[in-house]
Amino acid sequence: MVNKWLIVNTLKGDDIVTRTFVGLRVDVNTICTGNNSVTARCYIGDNGDALLMKCYLMGDEYSKRLYGSMYYERELAIFSPSGDVEYIDVALSRWIDGVALSECMADSSRDFFDLSHNFDYLAYNLLTDKMVHCDIKPENIIVSDDGTMSLIDYDALWSESLDMGDRHEYGTSGYRDVTTTEFTPPAFMRNYPLVLISVILAALALDYSAMYKYVDQDAMLDVSKKRSFSAAMKCANDIFLRHADYAHLALLNCITPSGVNIDGLADKMYKATYSRSPVVAEGLGPYFDV
């Protein structure tokens, strides 16, 4: 396995050696390190399209099957201080411009009604998709300039139709329920973070100052701290009752200390996404927020 900092130094260098890429240009300001890889925005040849380049510390058979022709074995040359060279695997995918949802949540100037609605739209579609993302969290959701949201980290995708065996990811602590094991159905792993993030964003939209302190303290991410978890849940509950947001209250009530009650979950998310607005414009009657 290659040291990640050797990869970082290679991507920052002027003389990047590759086997098949011609004219590789790396945006060094976008280099990001993870547990198993280093990523960066790049351009190849005269093509102006931005790509996400993922450089693996060691070969990954799961990702090789997932990316298909966009997975390049032994592509990037990594030189050690001793002069030895090792070629590492690289995967390419489209680059998505925008800001991580985690950054948006910490910015009180954001339009949280817009963030909440757009996330619920994404969540509802994910609940009905056969392709399951097994590591849903705000850091893996990119918010574009027009407000649309996209999941990143394709390595966390899993689908029974791909016949790829056991899934590769088990989610991130706080955004997976405490009962998650290798035997947990992938769909169950998807449900918990979708409900949790939907509830958090909706509460922030209605009363940012009251809810954000619990978000900042990760109170809703650690169910083992029963007092703070219960306080965060009560805060969200009170906010929804005060503002008559019964759609998100129904989602909040799905959350238990050990996971999410999935009974009618897709229908509840649909109502949160396409619910009747509580606001009535004078002379116009009620309208639907879609």
XYZ file of all heavy atoms in Angstrom, residues 140-188:
385
model
N -20.893 13.869 1.896
C -20.969 13.183 0.605
C -22.098 13.712 -0.280
O -22.455 13.080 -1.271
C -21.161 11.675 0.805
C -19.858 10.963 1.090
O -18.770 11.514 0.864
N -19.936 9.745 1.595
N -22.647 14.866 0.084
C -23.712 15.478 -0.715
C -23.246 16.859 -1.161
O -22.895 17.703 -0.334
C -25.016 15.597 0.098
C -25.495 14.214 0.551
C -26.102 16.297 -0.723
C -26.646 14.245 1.535
N -23.215 17.082 -2.477
C -22.769 18.352 -3.028
C -23.983 19.185 -3.431
O -24.878 18.711 -4.131
C -21.854 18.143 -4.251
C -20.603 17.353 -3.843
C -21.467 19.481 -4.871
C -19.732 18.043 -2.808
N -23.990 20.442 -2.972
C -25.054 21.380 -3.306
C -24.556 22.303 -4.413
O -23.589 23.049 -4.216
C -25.476 22.211 -2.076
C -26.626 23.147 -2.431
C -25.855 21.302 -0.915
N -25.176 22.228 -5.576
C -24.776 23.056 -6.709
C -25.310 24.474 -6.554
O -26.126 24.754 -5.675
C -25.293 22.446 -8.018
O -24.763 21.146 -8.206
N -24.851 25.375 -7.439
C -25.268 26.776 -7.361
C -26.779 26.931 -7.498
O -27.369 27.852 -6.929
C -24.567 27.596 -8.451
C -23.079 27.775 -8.168
O -22.679 27.609 -6.995
O -22.327 28.085 -9.107
N -27.412 26.038 -8.266
C -28.864 26.136 -8.443
C -29.644 25.426 -7.343
O -30.870 25.355 -7.375
C -29.281 25.589 -9.809
C -28.961 24.104 -9.980
O -28.421 23.497 -9.030
O -29.256 23.552 -11.059
N -28.926 24.893 -6.343
C -29.575 24.263 -5.198
C -29.749 22.763 -5.308
O -30.066 22.103 -4.312
N -29.579 22.204 -6.499
C -29.723 20.761 -6.649
C -28.630 20.038 -5.876
O -27.525 20.547 -5.698
C -29.679 20.340 -8.125
O -28.439 20.784 -8.708
C -30.847 20.932 -8.894
N -28.946 18.831 -5.422
C -28.020 18.053 -4.614
C -27.651 16.755 -5.309
O -28.497 16.120 -5.947
C -28.623 17.752 -3.243
C -28.911 18.982 -2.422
S -29.402 18.585 -0.719
C -29.802 20.239 -0.108
N -26.392 16.380 -5.169
C -25.894 15.150 -5.795
C -25.028 14.396 -4.806
O -24.226 15.002 -4.074
C -25.066 15.467 -7.041
O -25.794 16.233 -7.980
N -25.181 13.088 -4.775
C -24.323 12.245 -3.940
C -22.992 12.009 -4.631
O -22.932 11.821 -5.858
C -24.994 10.898 -3.684
C -25.964 10.808 -2.512
C -26.740 9.497 -2.571
C -25.226 10.912 -1.185
N -21.930 12.011 -3.870
C -20.609 11.657 -4.387
C -20.102 10.435 -3.626
O -20.788 9.906 -2.764
C -19.613 12.828 -4.267
C -19.453 13.248 -2.786
C -20.077 13.999 -5.110
C -18.347 14.265 -2.576
N -18.900 10.009 -3.947
C -18.275 8.802 -3.421
C -18.952 7.575 -4.019
O -19.696 6.851 -3.353
C -18.329 8.735 -1.895
C -17.480 7.580 -1.340
O -16.811 6.898 -2.157
O -17.493 7.348 -0.128
N -18.672 7.336 -5.296
C -19.291 6.231 -6.014
C -18.893 4.867 -5.457
O -19.577 3.879 -5.683
C -18.920 6.303 -7.496
C -19.487 7.511 -8.219
C -18.975 7.918 -9.440
C -20.530 8.251 -7.668
C -19.495 9.023 -10.107
C -21.048 9.356 -8.322
C -20.525 9.741 -9.537
O -21.045 10.833 -10.188
N -17.792 4.815 -4.718
C -17.358 3.541 -4.143
C -18.369 2.989 -3.143
O -18.333 1.814 -2.803
C -16.005 3.692 -3.438
C -14.865 3.887 -4.416
O -15.149 4.284 -5.563
O -13.708 3.656 -4.056
N -19.253 3.878 -2.640
C -20.238 3.452 -1.650
C -21.523 2.930 -2.288
O -22.457 2.574 -1.584
C -20.558 4.614 -0.709
N -21.582 2.883 -3.617
C -22.781 2.397 -4.298
C -22.856 0.878 -4.258
O -21.837 0.185 -4.313
C -22.806 2.875 -5.748
C -22.969 4.378 -5.963
C -22.847 4.710 -7.444
C -24.313 4.863 -5.422
N -24.088 0.378 -4.170
C -24.298 -1.072 -4.172
C -25.654 -1.368 -4.786
O -26.618 -0.629 -4.581
C -24.259 -1.641 -2.755
C -24.399 -3.140 -2.713
C -23.379 -4.047 -2.730
C -25.620 -3.899 -2.652
N -23.891 -5.325 -2.693
C -25.260 -5.273 -2.650
C -26.959 -3.549 -2.620
C -26.210 -6.287 -2.607
C -27.913 -4.562 -2.584
C -27.526 -5.916 -2.565
N -25.706 -2.426 -5.558
C -26.980 -2.871 -6.115
C -26.924 -4.372 -6.312
O -25.921 -4.918 -6.784
C -27.260 -2.189 -7.458
O -28.437 -2.725 -8.044
N -28.005 -5.018 -5.937
C -28.087 -6.467 -6.116
C -27.975 -6.836 -7.593
O -27.414 -7.875 -7.942
C -29.406 -6.978 -5.548
C -29.533 -8.498 -5.553
C -30.809 -8.969 -4.884
O -31.611 -8.117 -4.453
O -31.001 -10.199 -4.782
N -28.463 -5.947 -8.467
C -28.444 -6.228 -9.901
C -27.027 -6.256 -10.477
O -26.796 -6.813 -11.543
C -29.280 -5.184 -10.650
O -28.723 -3.895 -10.502
N -26.074 -5.634 -9.759
C -24.696 -5.619 -10.244
C -23.965 -6.924 -9.951
O -22.872 -7.150 -10.459
C -23.923 -4.455 -9.611
C -24.399 -3.050 -9.985
C -23.604 -2.010 -9.210
C -24.259 -2.811 -11.481
N -24.567 -7.766 -9.105
C -23.977 -9.055 -8.768
C -22.535 -8.877 -8.311
O -21.607 -9.521 -8.814
C -24.048 -10.008 -9.963
C -23.681 -11.443 -9.568
O -23.861 -11.789 -8.395
O -23.210 -12.195 -10.451
N -22.345 -7.993 -7.332
C -20.997 -7.655 -6.868
C -20.695 -8.224 -5.489
O -19.724 -7.849 -4.853
C -20.818 -6.140 -6.863
C -20.946 -5.523 -8.240
S -20.814 -3.732 -8.223
C -19.112 -3.526 -7.728
N -21.544 -9.113 -5.017
C -21.287 -9.713 -3.720
C -21.633 -8.761 -2.593
O -22.505 -7.910 -2.708
N -20.932 -8.918 -1.470
C -21.195 -8.089 -0.296
C -20.866 -6.633 -0.577
O -19.953 -6.317 -1.337
C -20.376 -8.579 0.900
C -20.780 -9.977 1.336
O -21.942 -10.348 1.078
O -19.942 -10.680 1.920
N -21.596 -5.722 0.058
C -21.342 -4.297 -0.140
C -19.990 -3.919 0.443
O -19.432 -4.591 1.307
C -22.462 -3.472 0.481
C -22.585 -3.641 1.986
C -23.783 -2.875 2.500
N -23.954 -3.065 3.923
C -24.551 -4.111 4.460
N -25.027 -5.050 3.682
N -24.677 -4.222 5.765
N -19.509 -2.783 -0.019
C -18.162 -2.337 0.306
C -18.119 -1.402 1.508
O -17.100 -1.271 2.162
C -17.587 -1.622 -0.922
C -16.102 -1.538 -0.959
N -15.294 -2.638 -0.850
C -15.270 -0.469 -1.098
C -14.031 -2.267 -0.941
N -13.996 -0.956 -1.072
N -19.238 -0.719 1.774
C -19.292 0.287 2.828
C -20.371 -0.061 3.853
O -21.361 -0.727 3.536
C -19.612 1.667 2.227
C -18.584 2.164 1.225
C -17.361 2.756 1.892
O -17.396 2.940 3.128
O -16.376 3.030 1.187
N -20.180 0.425 5.079
C -21.151 0.194 6.143
C -21.646 1.502 6.750
O -22.273 1.502 7.794
C -20.533 -0.682 7.232
C -20.195 -2.066 6.741
C -18.918 -2.367 6.310
C -21.172 -3.059 6.667
C -18.602 -3.638 5.840
C -20.865 -4.326 6.192
C -19.579 -4.604 5.781
O -19.273 -5.860 5.314
N -21.373 2.616 6.086
C -21.839 3.901 6.580
C -20.886 4.516 7.586
O -19.926 3.897 8.038
N -21.147 5.759 7.917
C -20.321 6.523 8.852
C -21.036 6.634 10.197
O -22.245 6.884 10.240
C -20.037 7.926 8.290
O -19.297 7.794 7.066
C -19.232 8.761 9.272
N -20.297 6.455 11.253
C -20.876 6.532 12.592
C -21.644 7.836 12.763
O -21.159 8.915 12.420
C -19.756 6.452 13.637
O -20.269 6.543 14.938
N -22.842 7.739 13.305
C -23.711 8.896 13.458
C -24.764 8.961 12.381
O -25.886 9.391 12.623
N -24.388 8.510 11.192
C -25.330 8.482 10.074
C -25.697 7.055 9.701
O -26.123 6.773 8.590
C -24.750 9.221 8.864
C -24.636 10.702 9.122
C -23.418 11.271 9.474
C -25.753 11.522 9.064
C -23.312 12.628 9.741
C -25.659 12.884 9.335
C -24.431 13.424 9.666
O -24.335 14.769 9.942
N -25.523 6.154 10.642
C -26.018 4.782 10.506
C -26.584 4.390 11.869
O -26.126 4.874 12.906
C -24.898 3.828 10.097
C -23.820 3.660 11.148
C -22.716 2.741 10.675
N -21.710 2.554 11.707
C -20.480 2.123 11.465
N -20.109 1.844 10.241
N -19.619 1.979 12.452
N -27.562 3.529 11.841
C -28.134 3.153 13.135
C -27.192 2.214 13.876
O -26.307 1.597 13.288
C -29.530 2.541 12.966
C -29.502 1.194 12.271
O -28.881 0.270 12.821
O -30.115 1.058 11.199
N -27.389 2.134 15.175
C -26.429 1.430 16.030
C -26.471 -0.081 15.831
O -25.587 -0.785 16.319
C -26.680 1.764 17.518
C -26.432 3.240 17.769
C -28.100 1.382 17.926
N -27.478 -0.575 15.143
C -27.589 -2.024 14.952
C -26.969 -2.489 13.640
O -27.044 -3.666 13.305
C -29.069 -2.453 14.975
O -29.760 -1.836 13.876
C -29.731 -2.041 16.276
N -26.353 -1.577 12.878
C -25.785 -1.932 11.580
C -24.659 -2.959 11.710
O -23.720 -2.771 12.484
C -25.252 -0.681 10.860
O -26.334 0.182 10.569
C -24.562 -1.064 9.556
N -24.773 -4.031 10.957
C -23.730 -5.048 10.871
C -23.593 -5.444 9.415
O -24.281 -4.916 8.533
C -24.078 -6.300 11.702
O -25.185 -6.977 11.069
C -24.454 -5.935 13.134
N -22.711 -6.404 9.147
C -22.547 -6.876 7.774
C -23.807 -7.552 7.250
O -23.965 -7.727 6.048
C -21.369 -7.842 7.701
C -21.540 -9.078 8.575
C -20.335 -10.008 8.516
O -19.911 -10.355 7.392
O -19.820 -10.370 9.592
N -24.715 -7.919 8.149
C -25.942 -8.595 7.734
C -27.115 -7.629 7.547
O -28.195 -8.040 7.143
C -26.321 -9.661 8.766
C -25.236 -10.662 9.014
C -24.520 -10.652 10.204
C -24.898 -11.601 8.046
C -23.504 -11.568 10.435
C -23.880 -12.518 8.269
C -23.182 -12.505 9.462
N -26.894 -6.348 7.860
C -27.964 -5.362 7.706
C -28.265 -5.146 6.220
O -27.351 -4.880 5.442
C -27.559 -4.021 8.335
O -27.253 -4.227 9.714
C -28.688 -3.001 8.214
N -29.529 -5.245 5.805
C -29.865 -4.999 4.399
C -29.425 -3.596 3.980
O -29.612 -2.636 4.739
C -31.392 -5.133 4.366
C -31.715 -6.005 5.540
C -30.711 -5.640 6.594
N -28.836 -3.442 2.797
C -28.361 -2.118 2.352
C -29.431 -1.044 2.401
O -29.148 0.095 2.766
C -27.897 -2.393 0.913
C -27.507 -3.838 0.913
C -28.476 -4.503 1.848
N -30.676 -1.392 2.052
C -31.747 -0.391 2.064
C -31.953 0.193 3.458
O -32.252 1.376 3.608
C -33.048 -1.011 1.556
N -31.769 -0.628 4.500
C -31.921 -0.146 5.864
C -30.829 0.883 6.193
O -31.063 1.837 6.927
C -31.853 -1.308 6.857
C -33.125 -2.112 6.944
C -33.793 -2.514 5.793
C -33.647 -2.474 8.166
C -34.960 -3.251 5.861
C -34.825 -3.218 8.250
C -35.476 -3.607 7.085
